[in-house]
Structure formats: C-alpha cells, structure tokens
Coordinates of all heavy atoms in Angstrom, one line a residue:
M1 N 0.8 -1.2 0.0 CA 0.0 0.0 0.0 C 0.9 1.3 0.0 O 0.5 2.2 -0.6 CB -0.9 0.0 1.2 CG -1.9 1.1 1.2 SD -3.1 0.8 -0.1 CE -4.4 1.9 0.4
K2 N 2.0 1.2 0.7 CA 2.9 2.4 0.8 C 3.4 2.7 -0.6 O 3.5 3.9 -1.0 CB 4.0 2.1 1.8 CG 4.9 3.3 2.0 CD 5.9 3.0 3.0 CE 6.8 4.2 3.3 NZ 7.8 3.9 4.3
S3 N 3.7 1.7 -1.4 CA 4.3 2.0 -2.7 C 3.2 2.6 -3.7 O 3.6 3.4 -4.5 CB 4.8 0.7 -3.4 OG 3.8 -0.3 -3.5
L4 N 2.0 2.2 -3.5 CA 0.9 2.9 -4.3 C 0.8 4.4 -3.9 O 0.6 5.2 -4.8 CB -0.5 2.2 -4.0 CG -0.7 0.9 -4.8 CD1 -2.0 0.3 -4.5 CD2 -0.6 1.2 -6.3
R5 N 0.9 4.7 -2.6 CA 0.8 6.1 -2.2 C 2.0 6.9 -2.8 O 1.8 8.0 -3.3 CB 0.8 6.2 -0.7 CG -0.5 6.1 -0.1 CD -0.6 6.5 1.3 NE -1.2 5.4 2.0 CZ -0.7 4.7 3.0 NH1 0.4 5.1 3.6 NH2 -1.4 3.7 3.5
K6 N 3.1 6.2 -2.9 CA 4.3 6.9 -3.4 C 4.1 7.1 -4.9 O 4.5 8.2 -5.5 CB 5.6 6.0 -3.2 CG 6.8 6.7 -3.6 CD 8.0 5.9 -3.3 CE 9.3 6.5 -3.8 NZ 10.5 5.8 -3.4
L7 N 3.6 6.1 -5.6 CA 3.3 6.2 -7.1 C 2.3 7.4 -7.3 O 2.6 8.3 -8.2 CB 2.8 5.0 -7.6 CG 2.3 5.0 -9.1 CD1 3.5 5.3 -10.0 CD2 1.5 3.8 -9.5
F8 N 1.2 7.4 -6.6 CA 0.2 8.5 -6.8 C 0.8 9.9 -6.5 O 0.5 10.9 -7.1 CB -1.1 8.2 -6.1 CG -1.9 7.2 -6.7 CD1 -2.2 6.0 -6.1 CD2 -2.4 7.4 -8.0 CE1 -3.0 5.1 -6.7 CE2 -3.2 6.4 -8.6 CZ -3.5 5.3 -7.9
A9 N 1.7 9.9 -5.5 CA 2.3 11.2 -5.1 C 3.2 11.7 -6.2 O 3.5 12.9 -6.3 CB 3.1 11.0 -3.8
T10 N 3.8 10.8 -7.0 CA 4.7 11.2 -8.1 C 4.0 11.6 -9.4 O 4.6 12.2 -10.3 CB 5.7 10.1 -8.5 OG1 5.1 9.0 -8.9 CG2 6.6 9.8 -7.2
L11 N 2.7 11.3 -9.5 CA 2.0 11.6 -10.8 C 1.5 13.0 -10.7 O 0.8 13.4 -9.7 CB 0.8 10.6 -11.0 CG 1.2 9.2 -11.2 CD1 0.0 8.3 -11.3 CD2 2.0 9.1 -12.5
R12 N 1.8 13.8 -11.6 CA 1.4 15.2 -11.6 C 0.5 15.6 -12.9 O 0.9 15.2 -14.0 CB 2.6 16.1 -11.7 CG 3.6 16.0 -10.6 CD 4.8 16.9 -10.8 NE 5.5 16.6 -12.0 CZ 6.5 15.9 -12.2 NH1 7.0 15.2 -11.2 NH2 7.1 15.7 -13.3
N13 N -0.6 16.2 -12.7 CA -1.4 16.7 -13.8 C -1.7 15.7 -14.8 O -1.5 15.9 -16.0 CB -0.8 18.0 -14.3 CG -0.7 19.1 -13.3 OD1 -1.6 19.2 -12.5 ND2 0.3 19.9 -13.4
T14 N -2.2 14.5 -14.5 CA -2.4 13.5 -15.4 C -3.6 13.7 -16.3 O -3.8 12.9 -17.2 CB -2.5 12.1 -14.7 OG1 -3.5 12.2 -13.8 CG2 -1.1 11.7 -14.1
H15 N -4.4 14.7 -16.0 CA -5.6 14.9 -16.7 C -5.4 15.8 -18.0 O -6.3 16.0 -18.7 CB -6.7 15.5 -15.8 CG -6.4 16.8 -15.3 ND1 -5.4 17.0 -14.3 CD2 -6.8 18.0 -15.7 CE1 -5.3 18.3 -14.0 NE2 -6.1 18.9 -14.9
E16 N -4.3 16.3 -18.2 CA -4.0 17.2 -19.3 C -2.6 17.1 -19.8 O -1.7 16.6 -19.1 CB -4.4 18.6 -19.0 CG -3.5 19.2 -17.9 CD -4.0 20.6 -17.6 OE1 -5.1 20.8 -17.2 OE2 -3.1 21.5 -17.6
A17 N -2.4 17.4 -21.1 CA -1.1 17.4 -21.7 C -0.6 18.8 -21.7 O -1.4 19.8 -21.9 CB -1.1 16.8 -23.1
P18 N 0.7 19.1 -21.4 CA 1.2 20.4 -21.4 C 0.9 21.2 -22.8 O 1.1 20.6 -23.8 CB 2.7 20.3 -21.2 CG 2.8 18.9 -20.6 CD 1.7 18.1 -21.2
G19 N 0.4 22.4 -22.7 CA 0.1 23.2 -23.9 C -1.1 22.7 -24.7 O -1.3 23.2 -25.8
D20 N -1.9 21.9 -24.2 CA -3.1 21.4 -24.8 C -4.3 21.8 -24.1 O -4.7 21.1 -23.1 CB -3.0 19.9 -25.1 CG -4.1 19.3 -26.0 OD1 -5.1 20.1 -26.3 OD2 -4.1 18.2 -26.3
E21 N -5.0 22.8 -24.4 CA -6.1 23.3 -23.7 C -7.4 22.5 -23.9 O -8.3 22.6 -23.2 CB -6.4 24.8 -24.1 CG -5.3 25.8 -23.8 CD -5.0 25.8 -22.3 OE1 -5.9 25.8 -21.5 OE2 -3.8 25.9 -22.0
T22 N -7.4 21.6 -24.9 CA -8.5 20.8 -25.2 C -8.3 19.3 -25.0 O -8.8 18.5 -25.7 CB -8.9 21.0 -26.7 OG1 -7.9 20.6 -27.5 CG2 -9.2 22.5 -27.0
F23 N -7.5 19.0 -24.0 CA -7.1 17.6 -23.8 C -8.2 16.6 -23.9 O -8.2 15.7 -24.6 CB -6.3 17.4 -22.6 CG -5.8 15.9 -22.5 CD1 -4.9 15.4 -23.3 CD2 -6.5 15.1 -21.6 CE1 -4.5 14.1 -23.3 CE2 -6.1 13.7 -21.6 CZ -5.2 13.2 -22.4
A24 N -9.3 16.8 -23.2 CA -10.4 15.9 -23.2 C -11.7 16.6 -22.9 O -12.2 16.6 -21.8 CB -10.1 14.8 -22.2
R25 N -12.2 17.2 -23.9 CA -13.5 17.9 -23.7 C -14.6 16.9 -23.6 O -14.6 15.8 -24.3 CB -13.8 18.8 -24.9 CG -12.9 20.0 -24.9 CD -13.3 21.0 -25.9 NE -12.5 22.2 -25.9 CZ -12.5 23.1 -26.9 NH1 -13.3 22.9 -27.9 NH2 -11.7 24.1 -26.8
E26 N -15.6 17.2 -22.7 CA -16.8 16.4 -22.6 C -17.7 16.6 -23.8 O -18.3 17.6 -23.9 CB -17.5 16.7 -21.3 CG -16.7 16.6 -20.1 CD -16.9 15.2 -19.4 OE1 -17.9 14.5 -19.8 OE2 -16.2 14.9 -18.5
R27 N -17.7 15.7 -24.7 CA -18.5 15.8 -25.9 C -18.6 14.4 -26.6 O -17.7 13.6 -26.4 CB -18.0 16.8 -26.9 CG -16.7 16.5 -27.4 CD -16.2 17.5 -28.4 NE -14.9 17.2 -28.9 CZ -13.9 18.0 -28.9 NH1 -14.0 19.2 -28.5 NH2 -12.7 17.6 -29.3
P28 N -19.5 14.2 -27.5 CA -19.6 12.9 -28.2 C -18.4 12.8 -29.2 O -17.9 13.8 -29.7 CB -20.9 12.9 -28.9 CG -21.7 14.0 -28.4 CD -20.7 15.0 -27.7
C29 N -17.9 11.6 -29.4 CA -16.9 11.4 -30.4 C -17.4 11.7 -31.8 O -18.5 11.3 -32.2 CB -16.4 9.9 -30.4 SG -15.0 9.5 -31.5
A30 N -16.6 12.5 -32.5 CA -17.0 12.9 -33.9 C -16.4 12.1 -35.0 O -16.5 12.4 -36.2 CB -16.6 14.4 -34.1
C31 N -15.6 11.1 -34.6 CA -14.9 10.2 -35.6 C -15.8 9.2 -36.2 O -16.8 8.8 -35.6 CB -13.7 9.6 -34.9 SG -12.5 10.8 -34.3
S32 N -15.4 8.7 -37.3 CA -16.1 7.6 -38.0 C -15.1 6.5 -38.4 O -14.3 6.8 -39.2 CB -16.9 8.0 -39.2 OG -17.6 7.0 -39.8
P33 N -15.1 5.3 -37.8 CA -16.0 4.9 -36.7 C -15.7 5.6 -35.4 O -14.6 6.1 -35.2 CB -15.7 3.4 -36.6 CG -14.3 3.3 -37.0 CD -14.1 4.3 -38.1
E34 N -16.7 5.5 -34.4 CA -16.5 6.2 -33.2 C -15.3 5.5 -32.4 O -15.1 4.3 -32.5 CB -17.7 6.1 -32.3 CG -18.8 7.1 -32.7 CD -19.9 7.2 -31.7 OE1 -20.2 6.1 -31.1 OE2 -20.4 8.3 -31.5
W35 N -14.6 6.3 -31.6 CA -13.5 5.8 -30.8 C -12.5 4.9 -31.5 O -12.3 3.8 -31.1 CB -14.1 5.2 -29.5 CG -15.1 6.0 -28.8 CD1 -16.5 5.7 -28.8 CD2 -14.9 7.2 -28.1 NE1 -17.1 6.7 -28.1 CE2 -16.2 7.6 -27.7 CE3 -13.8 8.0 -27.9 CZ2 -16.3 8.8 -26.9 CZ3 -14.0 9.2 -27.1 CH2 -15.2 9.6 -26.7
P36 N -11.9 5.4 -32.5 CA -10.9 4.6 -33.2 C -9.7 4.2 -32.4 O -9.2 3.0 -32.6 CB -10.4 5.5 -34.4 CG -10.7 6.9 -33.9 CD -11.9 6.8 -33.0
A37 N -9.3 5.0 -31.5 CA -8.2 4.6 -30.6 C -8.3 5.6 -29.4 O -8.8 6.7 -29.5 CB -6.9 4.7 -31.2
L38 N -7.7 5.2 -28.3 CA -7.7 6.0 -27.1 C -6.3 6.3 -26.6 O -5.4 5.5 -26.9 CB -8.5 5.3 -25.9 CG -9.9 5.0 -26.1 CD1 -10.4 4.2 -24.9 CD2 -10.7 6.2 -26.4
E39 N -6.1 7.5 -26.0 CA -4.8 7.8 -25.4 C -5.0 8.6 -24.1 O -6.1 9.1 -23.8 CB -4.0 8.7 -26.4 CG -4.6 10.0 -26.7 CD -3.9 10.8 -27.7 OE1 -3.0 10.3 -28.3 OE2 -4.2 12.0 -27.9
T40 N -4.0 8.6 -23.3 CA -4.0 9.3 -22.0 C -2.6 9.9 -21.8 O -1.7 9.6 -22.6 CB -4.4 8.4 -20.8 OG1 -4.7 9.2 -19.7 CG2 -3.4 7.3 -20.6
T41 N -2.5 10.7 -20.8 CA -1.1 11.2 -20.5 C -0.8 10.9 -19.0 O -1.6 10.9 -18.1 CB -1.0 12.7 -20.7 OG1 -1.9 13.4 -19.8 CG2 -1.2 13.1 -22.1
A42 N 0.5 10.8 -18.8 CA 1.0 10.6 -17.4 C 2.3 11.5 -17.4 O 3.2 11.3 -18.1 CB 1.4 9.2 -17.1
N43 N 2.2 12.6 -16.6 CA 3.3 13.6 -16.5 C 3.7 14.1 -17.9 O 4.9 14.3 -18.1 CB 4.4 13.0 -15.8 CG 4.1 12.7 -14.3 OD1 3.2 13.3 -13.8 ND2 4.8 11.8 -13.7
G44 N 2.8 14.3 -18.8 CA 3.1 14.8 -20.1 C 3.5 13.8 -21.2 O 3.7 14.1 -22.3
Y45 N 3.6 12.5 -20.8 CA 3.9 11.5 -21.7 C 2.6 10.8 -22.2 O 1.8 10.4 -21.4 CB 4.7 10.4 -21.1 CG 6.1 10.9 -20.7 CD1 6.4 11.4 -19.5 CD2 7.1 10.8 -21.6 CE1 7.6 11.8 -19.1 CE2 8.4 11.3 -21.3 CZ 8.6 11.8 -20.0 OH 9.9 12.3 -19.7
V46 N 2.4 10.8 -23.5 CA 1.2 10.2 -24.1 C 1.3 8.7 -24.1 O 2.3 8.1 -24.5 CB 0.9 10.7 -25.5 CG1 -0.3 10.1 -26.2 CG2 0.7 12.3 -25.5
M47 N 0.2 8.0 -23.7 CA 0.2 6.6 -23.6 C -1.1 6.0 -24.2 O -2.1 6.7 -24.1 CB 0.3 6.1 -22.2 CG 1.6 6.6 -21.5 SD 1.6 6.2 -19.7 CE 1.6 4.4 -19.8
R48 N -1.0 4.8 -24.8 CA -2.2 4.2 -25.3 C -3.1 3.7 -24.2 O -2.6 3.3 -23.1 CB -1.8 3.0 -26.2 CG -1.2 3.4 -27.5 CD -1.0 2.2 -28.4 NE -0.1 1.3 -27.7 CZ 0.8 0.5 -28.3 NH1 0.9 0.5 -29.6 NH2 1.6 -0.2 -27.6
A49 N -4.4 3.8 -24.4 CA -5.4 3.3 -23.5 C -6.4 2.4 -24.3 O -6.5 2.5 -25.5 CB -6.2 4.5 -22.9
L50 N -7.0 1.5 -23.6 CA -7.9 0.6 -24.2 C -9.3 0.6 -23.5 O -9.4 0.7 -22.2 CB -7.4 -0.8 -24.1 CG -6.0 -1.1 -24.7 CD1 -5.5 -2.4 -24.4 CD2 -6.1 -0.9 -26.2
P51 N -10.4 0.5 -24.2 CA -11.7 0.3 -23.6 C -11.7 -0.9 -22.8 O -11.0 -1.9 -23.1 CB -12.7 0.2 -24.8 CG -11.9 0.7 -26.0 CD -10.5 0.5 -25.7
S52 N -12.5 -0.9 -21.7 CA -12.5 -2.1 -20.8 C -13.9 -2.2 -20.2 O -14.7 -1.3 -20.2 CB -11.5 -1.8 -19.7 OG -11.5 -2.9 -18.8
A53 N -14.1 -3.4 -19.6 CA -15.3 -3.6 -18.8 C -15.3 -3.0 -17.5 O -16.3 -2.9 -16.8 CB -15.6 -5.1 -18.7
H54 N -14.1 -2.6 -17.0 CA -13.9 -2.0 -15.7 C -12.7 -1.1 -15.7 O -11.9 -1.1 -16.6 CB -13.5 -3.2 -14.7 CG -12.3 -3.9 -15.1 ND1 -11.1 -3.5 -14.9 CD2 -12.2 -5.1 -15.8 CE1 -10.2 -4.4 -15.4 NE2 -10.9 -5.3 -16.0
Y55 N -12.7 -0.2 -14.7 CA -11.5 0.7 -14.5 C -10.4 0.0 -13.8 O -10.7 -1.0 -13.0 CB -11.9 1.9 -13.7 CG -12.8 2.9 -14.4 CD1 -14.1 3.0 -14.1 CD2 -12.2 3.8 -15.3 CE1 -14.9 4.0 -14.7 CE2 -13.0 4.7 -16.0 CZ -14.4 4.8 -15.7 OH -15.1 5.7 -16.3
S56 N -9.2 0.4 -13.9 CA -8.1 -0.1 -13.0 C -8.1 0.8 -11.9 O -8.7 1.9 -11.9 CB -6.8 -0.2 -13.8 OG -6.3 1.1 -14.0
I57 N -7.2 0.5 -10.9 CA -7.1 1.4 -9.7 C -6.5 2.8 -10.2 O -6.9 3.8 -9.6 CB -6.2 0.8 -8.6 CG1 -6.3 1.7 -7.4 CG2 -4.8 0.6 -9.1 CD1 -5.7 1.0 -6.1
M58 N -5.7 2.8 -11.2 CA -5.1 4.1 -11.7 C -6.0 4.9 -12.6 O -5.9 6.1 -12.7 CB -3.8 3.8 -12.4 CG -2.7 3.3 -11.5 SD -1.2 3.1 -12.3 CE -0.8 4.9 -12.6
T59 N -7.0 4.2 -13.2 CA -7.9 5.0 -14.2 C -9.3 5.3 -13.6 O -10.1 5.9 -14.3 CB -8.0 4.2 -15.5 OG1 -8.6 3.0 -15.3 CG2 -6.6 4.0 -16.1
N60 N -9.5 4.8 -12.4 CA -10.8 5.1 -11.8 C -11.0 6.6 -11.5 O -10.2 7.1 -10.7 CB -11.0 4.3 -10.5 CG -12.4 4.3 -10.0 OD1 -13.1 5.3 -10.2 ND2 -12.8 3.2 -9.3
P61 N -12.0 7.3 -12.1 CA -12.2 8.7 -11.9 C -12.5 9.1 -10.5 O -12.4 10.2 -10.1 CB -13.3 9.1 -12.9 CG -14.0 7.8 -13.1 CD -13.0 6.7 -13.0
E62 N -13.0 8.1 -9.7 CA -13.3 8.4 -8.3 C -12.1 8.5 -7.4 O -12.1 8.9 -6.3 CB -14.3 7.3 -7.7 CG -15.6 7.4 -8.4 CD -16.6 6.3 -7.9 OE1 -16.3 5.7 -6.9 OE2 -17.6 6.2 -8.5
I63 N -10.9 7.9 -8.0 CA -9.7 7.9 -7.2 C -8.7 8.9 -7.7 O -8.1 9.6 -6.9 CB -9.1 6.5 -7.3 CG1 -10.0 5.5 -6.6 CG2 -7.7 6.4 -6.6 CD1 -9.6 4.0 -6.8
G64 N -8.5 9.0 -9.0 CA -7.5 9.8 -9.6 C -8.0 10.8 -10.6 O -9.2 10.9 -10.9
T65 N -7.0 11.4 -11.3 CA -7.4 12.4 -12.3 C -7.1 11.9 -13.8 O -7.2 12.7 -14.7 CB -6.6 13.7 -12.1 OG1 -5.2 13.4 -12.1 CG2 -7.0 14.3 -10.8
F66 N -6.8 10.7 -14.0 CA -6.6 10.2 -15.3 C -7.8 10.2 -16.1 O -8.9 9.9 -15.6 CB -6.1 8.7 -15.3 CG -4.7 8.5 -15.1 CD1 -4.2 8.1 -13.9 CD2 -3.8 8.7 -16.2 CE1 -2.8 7.8 -13.7 CE2 -2.4 8.5 -16.0 CZ -1.9 8.0 -14.8
V67 N -7.7 10.6 -17.4 CA -8.8 10.5 -18.3 C -8.3 10.0 -19.6 O -7.1 10.1 -19.9 CB -9.5 11.9 -18.6 CG1 -10.2 12.4 -17.3 CG2 -8.6 12.9 -19.2
A68 N -9.1 9.4 -20.4 CA -8.7 8.9 -21.8 C -9.5 9.8 -22.8 O -10.6 10.3 -22.5 CB -9.1 7.5 -21.9
R69 N -8.9 10.0 -23.9 CA -9.5 10.7 -25.0 C -9.4 10.0 -26.3 O -8.5 9.2 -26.5 CB -8.9 12.1 -25.1 CG -7.5 12.2 -25.7 CD -7.0 13.6 -25.9 NE -5.7 13.6 -26.5 CZ -5.1 14.7 -26.8 NH1 -5.6 15.9 -26.5 NH2 -3.9 14.6 -27.4
C70 N -10.2 10.3 -27.3 CA -10.1 9.9 -28.6 C -8.9 10.4 -29.3 O -8.6 11.6 -29.1 CB -11.4 10.2 -29.4 SG -11.3 9.8 -31.2
T71 N -8.2 9.6 -30.0 CA -6.9 10.1 -30.7 C -7.3 11.0 -31.8 O -6.5 11.8 -32.3 CB -6.1 9.0 -31.1 OG1 -6.8 8.1 -32.0 CG2 -5.5 8.2 -30.0
G72 N -8.5 10.9 -32.4 CA -8.9 11.7 -33.5 C -9.5 13.1 -33.1 O -8.9 14.1 -33.5
C73 N -10.6 13.1 -32.5 CA -11.3 14.3 -32.2 C -11.0 14.8 -30.7 O -11.5 16.0 -30.4 CB -12.8 14.2 -32.4 SG -13.6 13.0 -31.2
H74 N -10.3 14.1 -29.9 CA -9.9 14.4 -28.6 C -11.1 14.5 -27.6 O -11.0 15.2 -26.6 CB -9.1 15.7 -28.5 CG -7.8 15.6 -29.2 ND1 -7.0 16.6 -29.3 CD2 -7.3 14.6 -29.9 CE1 -5.9 16.3 -30.0 NE2 -6.0 15.0 -30.3
A75 N -12.2 13.9 -27.9 CA -13.4 13.8 -27.0 C -13.0 12.9 -25.8 O -12.3 12.0 -26.0 CB -14.6 13.3 -27.7
R76 N -13.5 13.3 -24.6 CA -13.2 12.5 -23.4 C -14.0 11.2 -23.5 O -15.2 11.2 -23.8 CB -13.6 13.3 -22.2 CG -13.3 12.5 -20.9 CD -13.6 13.4 -19.7 NE -13.3 12.7 -18.5 CZ -13.1 13.3 -17.4 NH1 -13.1 14.6 -17.3 NH2 -12.8 12.6 -16.3
Y77 N -13.3 10.1 -23.2 CA -14.0 8.7 -23.3 C -14.8 8.6 -22.0 O -14.3 8.7 -20.9 CB -12.9 7.6 -23.4 CG -13.4 6.3 -23.7 CD1 -14.1 6.0 -24.9 CD2 -13.3 5.3 -22.7 CE1 -14.6 4.8 -25.1 CE2 -13.8 4.0 -23.0 CZ -14.5 3.8 -24.2 OH -15.0 2.5 -24.5
P78 N -16.1 8.3 -22.2 CA -17.0 8.3 -21.1 C -17.1 7.0 -20.4 O -17.8 6.9 -19.3 CB -18.4 8.7 -21.7 CG -18.3 8.1 -23.1 CD -16.8 8.2 -23.5
S79 N -16.5 5.9 -20.8 CA -16.7 4.6 -20.3 C -15.4 4.1 -19.6 O -14.4 4.7 -19.7 CB -17.1 3.6 -21.4 OG -18.3 4.0 -22.0
P80 N -15.5 2.9 -18.9 CA -14.3 2.5 -18.3 C -13.2 2.1 -19.3 O -13.5 1.8 -20.4 CB -14.7 1.2 -17.6 CG -16.2 1.4 -17.3 CD -16.7 2.2 -18.5
W81 N -11.9 2.3 -18.9 CA -10.8 2.1 -19.7 C -9.6 1.7 -18.9 O -9.6 2.0 -17.7 CB -10.5 3.3 -20.6 CG -10.2 4.6 -19.8 CD1 -11.0 5.4 -19.2 CD2 -8.9 5.0 -19.4 NE1 -10.4 6.4 -18.5 CE2 -9.0 6.2 -18.7 CE3 -7.6 4.6 -19.7 CZ2 -8.0 6.9 -18.1 CZ3 -6.5 5.3 -19.2 CH2 -6.7 6.5 -18.4
V82 N -8.6 1.2 -19.5 CA -7.3 0.8 -18.8 C -6.1 1.2 -19.7 O -6.3 1.4 -20.9 CB -7.3 -0.7 -18.5 CG1 -8.3 -1.1 -17.5 CG2 -7.4 -1.5 -19.8
L83 N -4.9 1.3 -19.1 CA -3.7 1.5 -19.8 C -3.4 0.3 -20.6 O -3.6 -0.9 -20.1 CB -2.6 1.8 -18.8 CG -2.7 3.1 -18.1 CD1 -1.6 3.2 -17.0 CD2 -2.6 4.3 -19.0
D84 N -2.9 0.5 -21.8 CA -2.4 -0.7 -22.6 C -1.2 -1.3 -22.0 O -0.1 -0.7 -21.9 CB -2.1 -0.2 -24.0 CG -1.8 -1.3 -25.0 OD1 -1.6 -2.5 -24.6 OD2 -1.7 -1.0 -26.2
T85 N -1.4 -2.5 -21.5 CA -0.3 -3.2 -20.8 C 0.8 -3.7 -21.7 O 1.9 -4.1 -21.3 CB -0.8 -4.4 -19.9 OG1 -1.5 -5.3 -20.7 CG2 -1.7 -3.8 -18.8
N86 N 0.5 -3.7 -23.0 CA 1.6 -4.1 -24.0 C 2.5 -3.0 -24.3 O 3.5 -3.2 -25.0 CB 0.9 -4.6 -25.3 CG 0.1 -5.9 -25.1 OD1 0.5 -6.7 -24.4 ND2 -1.1 -6.0 -25.7
E87 N 2.2 -1.8 -23.9 CA 3.1 -0.6 -24.1 C 3.9 -0.3 -22.8 O 3.3 -0.2 -21.7 CB 2.3 0.6 -24.5 CG 3.1 1.8 -24.7 CD 2.3 3.0 -25.2 OE1 1.7 2.8 -26.3 OE2 2.2 4.0 -24.6
P88 N 5.2 -0.2 -22.9 CA 6.0 0.0 -21.7 C 5.7 1.4 -21.1 O 5.5 2.4 -21.9 CB 7.4 -0.1 -22.1 CG 7.4 0.1 -23.6 CD 6.0 -0.3 -24.1
M89 N 5.7 1.5 -19.8 CA 5.5 2.8 -19.2 C 6.7 3.7 -19.4 O 7.8 3.2 -19.4 CB 5.4 2.7 -17.6 CG 4.0 2.2 -17.2 SD 2.8 3.5 -17.3 CE 3.0 4.2 -15.7
P90 N 6.5 5.0 -19.7 CA 7.6 5.9 -19.9 C 8.2 6.3 -18.5 O 7.6 7.0 -17.8 CB 7.0 7.1 -20.6 CG 5.6 7.1 -20.2 CD 5.2 5.6 -19.9
Y91 N 9.3 5.8 -18.2 CA 9.9 6.0 -16.9 C 10.8 7.2 -16.8 O 11.4 7.5 -15.8 CB 10.6 4.8 -16.3 CG 9.6 3.7 -15.9 CD1 9.4 2.6 -16.7 CD2 8.8 3.8 -14.8 CE1 8.5 1.6 -16.4 CE2 7.9 2.9 -14.4 CZ 7.7 1.8 -15.2 OH 6.8 0.8 -14.9
A92 N 11.0 7.9 -17.9 CA 11.9 9.1 -17.9 C 11.5 10.1 -16.9 O 12.3 10.7 -16.3 CB 11.9 9.7 -19.3
W93 N 10.2 10.2 -16.6 CA 9.7 11.2 -15.7 C 10.2 10.8 -14.2 O 10.4 11.7 -13.4 CB 8.2 11.4 -15.7 CG 7.5 10.1 -15.4 CD1 7.0 9.2 -16.2 CD2 7.1 9.6 -14.1 NE1 6.4 8.1 -15.6 CE2 6.4 8.4 -14.3 CE3 7.3 10.1 -12.8 CZ2 5.9 7.6 -13.2 CZ3 6.8 9.3 -11.7 CH2 6.1 8.1 -11.9
A94 N 10.4 9.6 -14.0 CA 10.9 9.1 -12.7 C 12.3 9.6 -12.4 O 12.8 9.7 -11.3 CB 10.8 7.6 -12.5
R95 N 13.0 9.9 -13.5 CA 14.4 10.3 -13.3 C 14.5 11.8 -13.3 O 15.6 12.4 -13.1 CB 15.3 9.7 -14.5 CG 15.5 8.2 -14.3 CD 16.4 7.7 -15.4 NE 15.8 7.7 -16.7 CZ 15.0 6.8 -17.2 NH1 14.6 5.7 -16.4 NH2 14.6 6.8 -18.4
E96 N 13.4 12.5 -13.5 CA 13.4 14.0 -13.4 C 13.6 14.4 -11.9 O 13.1 13.8 -11.0 CB 12.1 14.6 -13.9 CG 11.9 14.3 -15.4 CD 10.6 14.7 -15.9 OE1 9.7 15.2 -15.1 OE2 10.3 14.5 -17.1
P97 N 14.4 15.5 -11.7 CA 14.6 15.9 -10.3 C 13.3 16.4 -9.7 O 12.4 16.9 -10.4 CB 15.5 17.1 -10.5 CG 15.5 17.5 -11.9 CD 15.0 16.4 -12.7
D98 N 13.1 16.1 -8.4 CA 11.9 16.5 -7.7 C 11.8 18.1 -7.6 O 12.9 18.7 -7.5 CB 11.9 16.0 -6.3 CG 11.7 14.5 -6.3 OD1 11.1 13.9 -7.2 OD2 12.1 13.8 -5.3
D99 N 10.6 18.6 -7.6 CA 10.4 20.0 -7.4 C 10.8 20.4 -6.0 O 10.2 19.8 -5.0 CB 9.0 20.3 -7.7 CG 8.7 21.8 -7.8 OD1 9.6 22.6 -7.6 OD2 7.5 22.2 -8.1
P100 N 11.7 21.3 -5.8 CA 12.1 21.6 -4.4 C 11.1 22.4 -3.6 O 11.4 22.7 -2.4 CB 13.4 22.5 -4.6 CG 13.2 23.1 -5.9 CD 12.4 22.1 -6.8
R101 N 9.9 22.7 -4.1 CA 8.9 23.5 -3.4 C 8.5 22.7 -2.2 O 8.3 21.8 -1.8 CB 7.7 23.8 -4.2 CG 8.0 24.9 -5.2 CD 6.8 25.2 -5.9 NE 6.8 24.5 -7.2 CZ 5.8 24.3 -7.9 NH1 4.6 24.7 -7.6 NH2 5.8 23.7 -9.1

C-alpha cells in the first residue's frame, strides 16, 4: 500500500497534456467509426489506452485524475478504460529531479 501512495504522489497533472487546452473535452466522439483509438497522459507522456469492462485502480475517476480521450477528435472517453499493458510505461519522468517546493 505504501508503494501505491508513493506512485500516486509522483503523478502530476495526469488529466491534461502540457500546452493542450482541449485535452479531453466532454462531448460525443466525432470520428467515424467512433472511438478509433484512445490515449491518455502521465506527466506529459502520451500513452495508449484501451476500452475495458472495468476501470483499473489508476484509471478510476473516483480515485485519480486520469482521463482517456479519442486520438482523432480528442473527446473524453465516457466509459471504463485501462492503460495498454503491451506498451511500456515511460519512466523518464521518474528520473526527473523533484520539485524543491
């Protein structure tokens, strides 16, 4: 449990990508076919996401700030989703120096 707290403490602003004011607007998907692919960000790194029958502990909106969006129109995905476990996590952010604040 302690390691989960440490992980969540290191995640910053996972609900938006730097410089992207429209990261995940609440609206229907405008793509054809709908929801061609999903993506999310973790500390500014874009990662693939997958539709799911359930949320994971990291993607549950009641626990954290992760959201998934359509890769085409950037609409916020309204259903449960998970991180694509076939894609390696970008750990470069873990080597960034801590904010001294």
Side-chain angles (χ1 to χ4, degrees):
M1 186 69 163
K2 186 176 181 181
S3 61
L4 279 178
R5 274 191 232 128
K6 185 176 179 180
L7 173 66
F8 283 118
T10 63
L11 296 174
R12 302 177 302 264
N13 299 325
T14 55
H15 64 285
E16 61 185 57
D20 188 351
E21 299 299 322
T22 62
F23 180 72
R25 288 189 180 167
E26 300 266 350
R27 62 177 179 231
C29 181
C31 298
S32 181
E34 281 189 328
W35 308 109
L38 301 176
E39 65 186 6
T40 190
T41 62
N43 294 338
Y45 294 92
V46 177
M47 301 174 61
R48 287 185 299 214
L50 300 172
S52 177
H54 57 80
Y55 288 106
S56 73
I57 190 168
M58 291 186 68
T59 63
N60 188 330
E62 294 178 12
I63 296 172
T65 59
F66 274 106
V67 297
R69 72 175 183 179
C70 173
T71 57
C73 68
H74 296 180
R76 184 176 180 157
Y77 189 65
S79 301
W81 61 277
V82 295
L83 294 171
D84 184 351
T85 57
N86 293 321
E87 180 174 299
M89 281 286 274
Y91 288 106
W93 61 268
R95 290 184 291 277
E96 294 172 0
D98 290 334
D99 189 359
R101 286 186 263 159

